[in-house]
């Protein structure tokens, strides 16, 4: 016989748990179904979570959550084979009012799930949702992998992350295309706490987030590499558009090895012990790839709805905020006793009012534009390094000769008017 809840949530990631948190706190009988052994068991990311959106969802989280380091430095590195042009920003104000925290998802999600359970939600682990239950047109629950594993509920939130098969089963969207997903591979390398602080020039518990661009990091494809400092480990990885990996027959592990061997990276990892290797897809198709966000008895949040900002590399905050807004909409529907598409459409209104849909709309052209213009991931990072090299090189030649040499090198690969045009087009895609 099917068990019954007031709401059922598929996926115990940031999106699903945020919705469950809102509902459990309001006394709603809610179930979160998670296929992993525990929430977070199957999850990985770069990565950092951002303080303010997380605080909006879980007030006071920083005092109790398993956080690695307070991120006070953000850096962009443009890599050439043996050099790196580094753009860094650090903010002393972030010591008192943090902007971001490095996090290991297996710990963070498990902690959040425990909190959600304590508030009264049922977190059902080791259980995969395989289909939706329908009463006529409306969705009224889910079918799980357990024998007799139907769960009835008047409303279902699909928050199952990037492999959003249920979105298709619910008739709300299509499968992603290979040029709409990025494949991330990551290693966690253990090092003593003090060594990390010394190597990165950090004071205790402060951390650094580095994004690396350039052909060396991505084989010239659309994507980036990343490095984040945790308490006593370093997360390092690459994230490259799947269609590019396929077209170039590029092995992402080879890319990661190249990044780890780069002269600017290798000394930071020296002597470290490999603790974890993982891979995960990121839905970066953005606004144009989004499914319908609601239907009769159903809502979609987080990665399942392509809510990732590829420009700023944010996904967790969009997942958490969309999860909370979905939870608020479900509460409203429960109060009205009406789970129709019309009532649940308030979810879309809430998202339109938030930064989630505003940002995704703003950057809606970015993915397609950059995936078709690989010069931004290869030629320009190399160019940036050449310019820096000329700027800092002092030899016996006059400076005018340096400039002429640089212009000749650029012209050899790309005409100056094309360089100008590229800059204007990139600005237009981002603005
Ligand atoms: C390499 C990489 C680096 C990233 N770096 C960052 C970063 O630094 N900062 C940032 O903000 N974002 C980052 N992201 C993006 C971020 O991780 C995601 O946007 C975020 O995790 C989305 O949360 P979610 O809850 O929607 O999905 P997920 O976190 O994927 O959670 C979905 C959950 O659903 C479960 N599930 C799936 N299918 C089923 C099913 N059928 N039945 C039951 N359970 C199911 C899964 O096990 C999982 O626990 C990164 C992602 C990757 C891959």
């Amino acid at each position: 016989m099917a068990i019954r809840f007031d709401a059922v949530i598929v996926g115990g990631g940031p999106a699903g748990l945020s919705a469950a948190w809102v509902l459990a706190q309001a006394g709603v009988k809610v179930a979160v179904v998670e296929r992993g052994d525990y929430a977070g068991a199957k999850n990985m990311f770069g990565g950092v979570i951002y303080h303010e959106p997380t605080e909006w969802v879980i007030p006071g989280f920083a005092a109790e959550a398993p956080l690695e380091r307070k991120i006070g430095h953000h850096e962009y590195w443009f890599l050439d084979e043996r050099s790196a042009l580094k753009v860094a920003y650090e903010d002393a104000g972030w010591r008192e009012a943090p902007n971001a925290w490095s996090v290991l998802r297996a710990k963070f999600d498990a902690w959040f799930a425990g909190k959600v359970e304590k508030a009264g939600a049922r977190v059902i682990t080791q259980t995969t949702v395989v289909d939706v239950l329908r009463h006529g047109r409306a969705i009224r629950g889910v079918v799980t992998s357990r024998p007799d594993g139907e769960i009835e509920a008047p409303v279902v939130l699909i928050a199952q992350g990037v492999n959003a098969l249920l979105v298709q089963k619910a008739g709300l969207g299509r499968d992603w295309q290979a040029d709409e997903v990025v494949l991330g591979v990551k290693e966690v390398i253990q090092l003593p706490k003090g060594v990390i602080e010394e190597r990165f020039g950090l004071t205790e518990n402060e951390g650094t987030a580095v994004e690396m661009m350039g052909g060396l990091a991505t084989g010239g494809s659309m994507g980036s590499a990343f490095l984040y400092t945790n308490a006593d480990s370093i997360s390092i990885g690459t994230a490259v558009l799947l269609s590019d990996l396929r077209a170039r027959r590029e092995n992402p592990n080879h890319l990661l090895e190249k990044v780890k061997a780069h002269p600017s990276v290798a000394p930071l990892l020296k002597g470290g012990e490999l603790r974890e290797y993982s891979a995960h897809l990121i839905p970066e198709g953005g606004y144009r790839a989004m499914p319908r966000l609601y239907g009769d008895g159903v809502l979609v949040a987080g990665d399942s709805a392509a809510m990732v900002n590829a420009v700023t590399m944010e996904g967790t905050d969009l997942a958490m905020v969309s999860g909370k807004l979905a939870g608020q909409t479900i509460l409203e529907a429960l109060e009205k006793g009406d789970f129709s598409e019309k009532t649940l459409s308030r979810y879309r209104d809430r998202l339109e009012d938030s930064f989630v849909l505003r940002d995704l709309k703003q950057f809606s052209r970015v993915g397609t534009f950059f995936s078709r213009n690989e010069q931004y991931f290869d030629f320009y990072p190399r160019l940036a390094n050449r310019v820096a090299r000329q700027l800092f090189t002092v030899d016996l030649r006059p400076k005018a000769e340096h400039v002429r040499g640089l212009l000749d090198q650029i012209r050899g690969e790309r005409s100056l008017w094309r360089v100008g045009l590229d800059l204007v087009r990139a600005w237009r895609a981002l603005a």
Side-chain angles (χ1 to χ4, degrees):
M1 208 179 76
I3 44 173
R4 294 187 63 83
F5 283 88
D6 294 334
V8 60
I9 295 169
V10 185
L17 292 172
S18 300
W21 177 234
V22 171
L23 293 168
Q25 283 179 306
V28 172
K29 199 179 163 211
V30 55
V32 179
V33 186
E34 166 57 47
R35 69 187 168 147
D37 287 350
Y38 57 90
K42 290 197 174 279
N43 299 343
M44 71 83 124
F45 81 153
V48 293
I49 60 164
Y50 299 90
H51 185 90
E52 218 174 296
T54 312
E55 177 72 21
W56 186 66
V57 177
I58 325 167
F61 79 99
E64 44 171 318
L67 305 168
E68 298 292 315
R69 283 177 186 271
K70 197 188 284 185
I71 300 296
H73 306 244
H74 282 267
E75 302 187 6
Y76 278 95
W77 294 5
F78 298 92
L79 298 187
D80 203 350
E81 288 297 321
R82 294 191 51 77
S83 62
L85 173 67
K86 303 179 181 181
V87 180
Y89 179 72
E90 64 183 356
D91 195 325
W94 285 345
R95 292 201 180 111
E96 289 77 46
N99 172 54
W101 301 87
S102 57
V103 149
L104 294 167
R105 288 282 304 277
K107 289 191 205 167
F108 184 84
D109 291 7
W111 165 81
F112 193 12
K115 208 170 160 60
V116 163
E117 261 183 318
K118 268 198 209 126
R122 176 98 182 271
V123 180
I124 306 169
T125 55
Q126 299 181 324
T127 308
T128 303
V129 172
V130 292
D131 208 345
V132 289
L133 271 180
R134 285 181 186 275
H135 282 195
R137 223 172 70 97
I139 288 171
R140 290 287 179 263
V142 296
V143 183
T144 74
S145 54
R146 295 191 180 227
D148 300 323
E150 292 188 353
I151 304 178
E152 286 181 1
V155 59
V156 173
L157 173 65
I158 302 174
Q160 66 170 151
V162 63
N163 294 322
L165 295 173
L166 295 175
V167 172
Q168 292 159 57
K169 293 211 170 182
L172 298 174
R174 55 170 174 79
D175 200 359
W176 314 116
Q177 304 300 305
D179 61 358
E180 293 171 340
V181 282
V182 162
L183 176 62
V185 295
K186 167 182 156 181
E187 288 183 5
V188 176
I189 294 178
Q190 189 154 25
L191 275 168
K193 198 169 174 300
V195 171
I196 294 178
E197 280 154 15
E198 196 186 304
R199 285 185 186 172
F200 286 84
L202 298 167
T203 54
E204 216 194 343
N205 298 329
E206 289 194 341
T208 296
V210 182
E211 302 296 338
M212 292 174 249
M213 321 287 285
L216 183 117
T218 64
S221 301
M222 179 176 142
S224 59
F226 55 84
L227 183 158
Y228 299 96
T229 54
N230 304 313
D232 60 0
S233 65
I234 288 173
S235 296
I236 182 150
T238 58
V240 178
L241 197 68
L242 192 60
S243 54
D244 281 357
L245 284 174
R246 197 165 63 183
R248 291 167 185 249
R249 294 175 180 274
E250 189 81 71
N251 180 332
N253 307 308
H254 292 162
L255 289 178
L256 181 52
E257 288 306 322
K258 278 209 268 178
V259 174
K260 282 165 56 189
H262 189 277
S264 296
V265 178
L268 299 171
L269 307 177
K270 197 170 163 227
E273 203 178 309
L274 178 63
R275 275 301 153 115
E276 217 182 282
Y277 179 86
S278 52
H280 205 284
L281 291 170
I282 317 172
E284 289 199 0
Y287 189 71
R288 290 166 187 223
M290 284 177 90
R292 261 198 98 204
L293 296 171
Y294 60 89
D296 267 340
V298 65
L299 300 162
V300 189
D303 275 13
S304 293
M307 289 174 181
V308 171
N309 187 338
V311 178
T312 52
M313 296 166 202
E314 299 161 55
T316 323
D317 51 344
L318 279 75
M320 292 182 87
V321 168
S322 65
K324 177 165 173 172
L325 297 178
Q328 290 174 339
T329 310
I330 293 173
L331 273 185
E332 220 169 66
L334 283 161
E335 273 159 25
K336 279 188 174 175
D338 175 1
F339 306 94
S340 65
E341 206 173 287
K342 184 163 178 285
T343 300
L344 297 183
S345 70
R346 284 279 301 131
Y347 173 50
R348 170 121 200 164
D349 301 338
R350 287 188 158 96
L351 285 165
E352 297 267 5
D353 286 344
S354 75
F355 73 90
V356 175
L357 276 189
R358 289 195 188 173
D359 285 355
L360 289 172
K361 276 186 192 170
Q362 155 111 35
F363 298 125
S364 64
R365 285 180 301 133
V366 170
T368 354
F369 175 76
F370 283 104
S371 65
R372 290 185 190 142
N373 289 280
E374 61 194 35
Q375 67 271 24
Y376 294 105
F377 297 92
D378 185 20
F379 173 70
Y380 286 105
R382 272 191 291 118
L383 176 62
N385 277 273
R386 280 184 201 164
V387 172
R389 196 172 298 129
Q390 292 299 333
L391 197 70
F392 295 116
T393 300
V394 175
D395 55 20
L396 298 176
R397 290 179 298 155
K399 302 300 178 225
E401 227 173 83
H402 281 252
V403 174
R404 251 198 321 275
L406 183 64
L407 289 176
D408 286 347
Q409 276 183 34
I410 297 172
R411 280 196 206 99
E413 280 192 60
R414 207 163 182 83
S415 67
L416 289 179
W417 77 265
R418 286 208 66 172
V419 171
L421 195 65
D422 283 344
L423 288 175
V424 173
R425 289 172 65 217
W427 176 254
R428 282 210 190 122
L430 289 164

